[in-house]
Amino acid sequence: MSTPLPDDDAGRPADATPGPDQKPLLGGGRFGLFSEALLVGLGVSVLSLPIVTAVPALAAGVSHVRRHLDGRPDTVAALWEDFRAACRGVWLVSIGMPVLLLVLLFNLQLIGQGEMPGGAGVRIATVFLVAILLVVVLRAAAGWSPGARWGTVVQTAAKRAGDDLAGTFLLVVAIGLCAVMVWMLAPLAVIVPGLLSLAVVAVEHRAAVRGA
């Protein structure tokens, strides 16, 4: 009489949950986080189309990445609800920061055309200010939570940017890499918000672990 083959499920607890590599492609597994970053990038890009909604859209994107990592519901409806919550009281920040960024970029354009004295020194200082502004925006998006006052969130983000210089440097590198990607292939701009959301979540997690 032949010996029965062992059952693959024998000895496995009935309530065992699948490991990270056993989850569906868009919900986990080896490519789950990457695909989630792409989806977040697309969602944030669409929500940022009016320009003045870019800051709350990015905050919603960062929150969505955290939801995914924590195993909480990360549906499109959840992204929309986070976006609506982030829009409350944000308008001074969401208008002021894009205006300041446009002024700095216009300054760079004038320098490139040779219409502003100062040359290389002013160019370097302007690029530095653009990078710091973008870092503060990213860290503000990461520091936002439902019910938080945006003025306090931005102040705290600026302080964190100065206190965690290593994290700030990593974010500047991430911004630079994304800029190179867009320079090489402009349509990649739609996924950049997702990649930056993932980067700032990683940097803030690193800072929290080192500070624990």
Side-chain angles (χ1 to χ4, degrees), residues 25-202:
L25 178 62
L26 294 179
R30 293 181 179 87
F31 300 101
L33 186 57
F34 178 70
S35 62
E36 191 68 19
L38 298 183
L39 293 173
V40 168
L42 180 59
V44 172
S45 295
V46 171
L47 294 174
S48 300
L49 286 177
I51 304 299
V52 295
T53 58
V55 174
L58 186 59
V62 173
S63 178
H64 200 77
V65 171
R66 285 199 176 115
R67 284 176 179 273
H68 179 79
L69 293 174
D70 294 342
R72 292 179 287 145
D74 55 0
T75 61
V76 174
L79 177 66
W80 174 250
E81 289 302 319
D82 283 337
F83 172 69
R84 289 180 59 190
C87 284
R88 299 188 184 103
V90 74
W91 301 115
L92 182 61
V93 174
S94 63
I95 294 174
M97 286 192 169
V99 168
L100 180 57
L101 181 61
L102 286 175
V103 169
L104 292 173
L105 294 177
F106 180 69
N107 190 39
L108 280 177
Q109 184 179 13
L110 291 180
I111 296 171
Q113 295 175 352
E115 298 180 7
M116 180 177 291
V122 177
R123 185 194 302 272
I124 293 173
T126 305
V127 170
F128 175 78
L129 289 176
V130 169
I132 293 302
L133 176 62
L134 293 176
V135 168
V136 171
V137 170
L138 287 173
R139 301 200 96 146
W144 172 84
S145 59
R149 292 175 58 88
W150 272 103
T152 304
V153 168
V154 172
Q155 291 176 4
T156 304
K159 184 176 185 300
R160 285 205 312 275
D163 293 342
D164 180 23
L165 293 178
T168 295
F169 173 76
L170 291 175
L171 288 177
V172 170
V173 171
I175 293 169
L177 291 175
C178 288
V180 171
M181 287 172 52
V182 175
W183 173 72
M184 294 175 62
L185 190 60
L188 291 177
V190 297
I191 68 172
V192 162
L195 299 178
L196 291 178
S197 296
L198 181 58
V200 73
V201 168

Side-chain angles (χ1 to χ4, degrees), residues 16-28:
T17 56
D21 292 339
Q22 296 173 299
K23 294 180 181 178
L25 178 62
L26 294 179

